[in-house]
Amino acid sequence: MLSYVEARNLIISSLNTLEAINLPISESLHHTLAEPVIAPFEMPLFDNSAVDGYGVLVNDLINADLNNPIELKLIGSLEAGTKNLDGQPRIKLGECVKILTGAPVPPGVEAVIMKEYSAFEKQTDIGLFFKSVSKGENIRKQGEELKRGDRVIPANTRINAPVVGMLASLGYANFKVIKQPQIAILTTGDELIEPGQNLARNQIFNSNSYAIEAACRSLGLSQLIKLHCIDTREDTIEKMTQAIEFADVIICTGGVSVGDRDLVKPVLEEDFKVETILWRIAIKPGKPVFFARKNEKYFFGLPGNPVSALVTFHLFVKPALMRLQGVAPCDPAQNRAILSKKIKKKAGRMEFVRGIQKRTKDDNLMVEPTRGQESHMLSGLAAADCLIHFDLEDEVLDENTQVEIQKLDWQNY
Ligand code: AMP
Ligand code: MG
C-alpha cells in the first residue's frame, strides 16, 4: 500500500493546471494569478502629502518650537484631486501653502508640516508654526514604492483582499487568473436521507454532502453541484454521467471499499474507463481512498465515514484543488507540539489523530487528542484544530513526547 507522502505526491503530480481566463477584478477573489502583476506606472505617480498640513521651506522653521513660534504667510491651498499645479505660485521664504493628505506637493515645497503644529487665527492668512522640519518630511515621493515595470506580485499567488486592492490601485479592471475547478460532489448510499426529512431507524442523514460542500466553499470554490446516488449500478452511472458533464473534479464519498455495494470504483473503471492512479493508502482514517483520471477530469473516491471523508479531503483533495489552480504544494506538517497524553495504535498504517492545540504555562505548544477518535465520530473532528502525525510503524507515543502536527485550517491551504 502507498504511504501518505507517496499518495499525496502521486496525486499532485497527476494534475495539470487549469486554463487561464480573464476576470473582472471584483470576481477574482480566491482565484490564482495566472501571470505576475506588473506595475504599469510608477507609484506614487506624483509627489504627494502624507498628512493634512502646510508645505514649507526647511530654512524658515529651523528654530521653530513651542517657545519660539515662526510666522508664515499662507499663499494657496491644495486638496487631493487638485488638477493643475501650474497656476500655483512657488513658495518663497516666509510663505507656506496648505496641502491636504494625498494632494500633490508642488515644486519648491521642501516638507509638509502637520496641521497640529500650526495655529491660524480665523480669517487671517498669517499662521504660527511650532516645530522645525527636515527635508522631505511627510512627502510621499514619486516612485518610492514601485518603478514602472516592477514585478509587484508573482504569478500563482492566491488572490486575497490586498491583492485585489493592489490590482485596482494599478488600474487593472480585469486580470488573467486560473479558472477555478468546477466540482461535483457525489454521495452514495441507500441509507442516506437529507436533513429536514424524518429519520427512520435504519437511516442516517447525509452529512458528507454538506461537509464537503462547506470544505470547498471555505476555499472559495463555489462552482459546484451536489448529487446523490443509491447503491445500484444504474443510478451510479446516471449520477456519475451528470457529474462528469459539469465538473473538472468529481468528489465521491462512500462506496469505495470492498463491500458488495461499493460501486464507485467498478463503475468508474468498467463503465467510464478511467485511469486509476491509486486505490488504498496506508493511513487511518481513510484507507480506501481512490483517485483516477480521464482526460482532464479527476475523480476522488473518499471513504463514506464522515471523519474519513473530511480528513482525506484535507489531506489529498485540498492540495489537488490548489494544484489545479497553479498553487505550489506546501509542506503539510508545519509544527511540533508536546503530546498531552499517551496514544497507541497498531503498526502498518499512519494515523492522523485529531487534536487540539493548547499553550502551556511556560508558553510551549501542547496538543491533546480529542474525544471521539473513531471515523464515524464527527464530534471529535469538529472539536479538533490539528492532526497529530502518528507514523506508519510507531505503536506508542508517550505522554510529553514531541509530535508533528498538521494544522486543520479549513479556510487556507
Ligand atoms: P461506505 O463506504 O459507503 O460503506 O460508507 C461507510 C460508512 O459511512 C457507513 O456507515 C455509511 O452509512 C457512512 N456514510 C456514507 N456516506 C455518508 C454520507 N454521505 N453522510 C454520512 N455518512 C455516510
Ligand atoms: Mg455505502
Side-chain angles (χ1 to χ4, degrees):
M1 240 186 291
L2 291 170
S3 73
Y4 162 54
V5 175
E6 287 166 344
R8 193 173 188 277
N9 290 341
L10 188 56
I11 291 171
I12 290 170
S13 63
S14 313
L15 299 151
N16 298 320
T17 306
L18 297 174
E19 67 194 356
I21 53 171
N22 216 25
L23 272 193
I25 59 165
S26 54
E27 292 167 29
S28 69
L29 184 65
H30 300 309
H31 289 71
T32 305
L33 296 172
E35 47 189 45
V37 178
I38 307 286
F41 51 82
E42 59 188 336
M43 286 257 271
L45 193 54
F46 51 89
D47 288 359
N48 69 86
S49 177
V51 295
D52 290 326
Y54 295 88
V56 295
L57 297 173
V58 172
N59 278 343
D60 268 338
L61 300 183
I62 282 180
N63 297 315
D65 62 28
L66 273 176
N67 301 317
N68 181 34
I70 305 282
E71 276 189 0
L72 296 176
K73 182 176 190 304
L74 183 67
I75 61 152
S77 162
L78 294 154
E79 292 92 39
T82 296
K83 260 200 217 130
N84 193 354
L85 291 180
D86 301 344
Q88 299 282 339
R90 214 178 154 99
I91 59 167
K92 298 192 286 291
L93 279 175
E95 295 178 344
C96 66
V97 57
K98 188 170 171 183
I99 307 182
L100 299 186
T101 307
V105 172
V109 166
E110 292 177 335
V112 179
I113 182 165
M114 285 171 80
K115 186 178 179 183
E116 288 82 339
Y117 298 108
S118 71
F120 276 83
E121 291 281 337
K122 278 208 182 91
Q123 313 291 344
T124 70
D125 58 359
I126 302 293
L128 292 174
F129 290 85
F130 307 103
K131 200 179 88 61
S132 62
V133 286
S134 52
K135 203 162 179 178
E137 191 169 316
N138 295 324
I139 298 177
R140 305 165 175 162
K141 289 300 283 179
Q142 179 177 344
E144 73 178 2
E145 185 184 355
L146 299 172
K147 302 278 175 269
R148 183 167 171 227
D150 275 357
R151 274 173 183 248
V152 188
I153 310 171
N156 298 330
T157 302
R158 294 261 287 158
I159 299 176
N160 58 16
V163 175
V164 173
M166 196 69 237
L167 289 170
S169 69
L170 293 172
Y172 291 104
N174 302 289
F175 206 82
K176 222 176 210 182
V177 301
I178 313 280
K179 181 184 114 85
Q180 285 189 332
Q182 291 178 218
I183 299 167
I185 298 164
L186 175 54
T187 50
T188 67
D190 291 348
E191 73 281 28
L192 298 168
I193 62 163
E194 291 297 302
Q197 293 183 282
N198 287 330
L199 197 64
R201 287 199 78 86
N202 59 343
Q203 295 177 315
I204 56 169
F205 288 122
N206 181 353
S207 63
N208 288 346
S209 165
Y210 295 87
I212 299 294
E213 174 187 8
C216 293
R217 289 189 188 278
S218 299
L219 298 171
L221 303 174
S222 52
Q223 298 179 59
L224 50 86
I225 58 168
K226 303 200 294 173
L227 299 159
H228 181 75
C229 63
I230 54 167
D231 296 317
T232 65
R233 213 169 174 113
E234 298 67 48
D235 202 36
T236 309
I237 293 174
E238 188 188 322
K239 301 295 163 47
M240 193 67 80
T241 306
Q242 292 173 25
I244 292 171
E245 221 159 80
F246 172 79
D248 304 296
V249 179
I250 295 96
I251 306 171
C252 310
T253 74
V256 284
S257 199
V258 291
D260 301 344
R261 311 192 114 197
D262 289 332
L263 291 164
V264 168
K265 183 172 173 287
V267 161
L268 279 172
E269 288 179 335
E270 292 156 27
D271 298 283
F272 291 92
K273 308 281 185 250
V274 300
E275 173 198 351
T276 297
I277 310 279
L278 63 85
W279 181 47
R280 307 177 98 205
I281 307 170
I283 57 170
K284 189 178 174 194
K287 181 166 115 186
V289 167
F290 172 73
F291 177 65
R293 169 175 77 184
K294 188 179 179 184
N295 304 325
E296 298 292 297
K297 309 248 175 201
Y298 303 94
F299 301 83
F300 281 95
L302 306 183
N305 272 312
V307 175
S308 316
L310 273 178
V311 169
T312 53
F313 179 96
H314 179 77
L315 298 176
F316 304 108
V317 184
K318 202 168 168 183
L321 293 172
M322 290 297 147
R323 173 68 197 84
L324 285 171
Q325 298 175 85
V327 180
C330 64
D331 187 4
Q334 300 119 328
N335 246 325
R336 295 184 72 78
I338 303 159
L339 187 62
S340 72
K341 69 171 196 213
K342 179 173 171 173
I343 48 178
K344 294 200 260 181
K345 74 164 174 65
K346 294 204 194 90
R349 274 159 83 184
M350 176 173 181
E351 276 196 31
F352 295 91
V353 179
R354 278 72 75 200
I356 306 173
Q357 302 170 73
K358 304 231 156 94
R359 283 272 158 200
T360 61
K361 278 196 208 81
D362 34 4
D363 206 31
N364 288 315
L365 191 61
M366 181 161 256
V367 63
E368 185 179 318
T370 59
R371 288 191 58 225
Q373 288 288 337
E374 297 300 316
S375 35
H376 60 287
M377 297 178 176
L378 255 184
S379 55
L381 182 60
D385 61 10
C386 68
L387 297 173
I388 303 165
H389 285 198
F390 198 164
D391 280 338
L392 202 70
E393 296 308 333
D394 287 348
E395 297 189 317
V396 181
L397 285 175
D398 277 315
E399 184 181 337
N400 288 330
T401 45
Q402 283 268 352
V403 290
E404 290 220 330
I405 59 171
Q406 176 172 355
K407 265 199 303 184
L408 269 177
D409 178 351
W410 297 98
Q411 326 288 331
N412 291 300
Y413 178 41

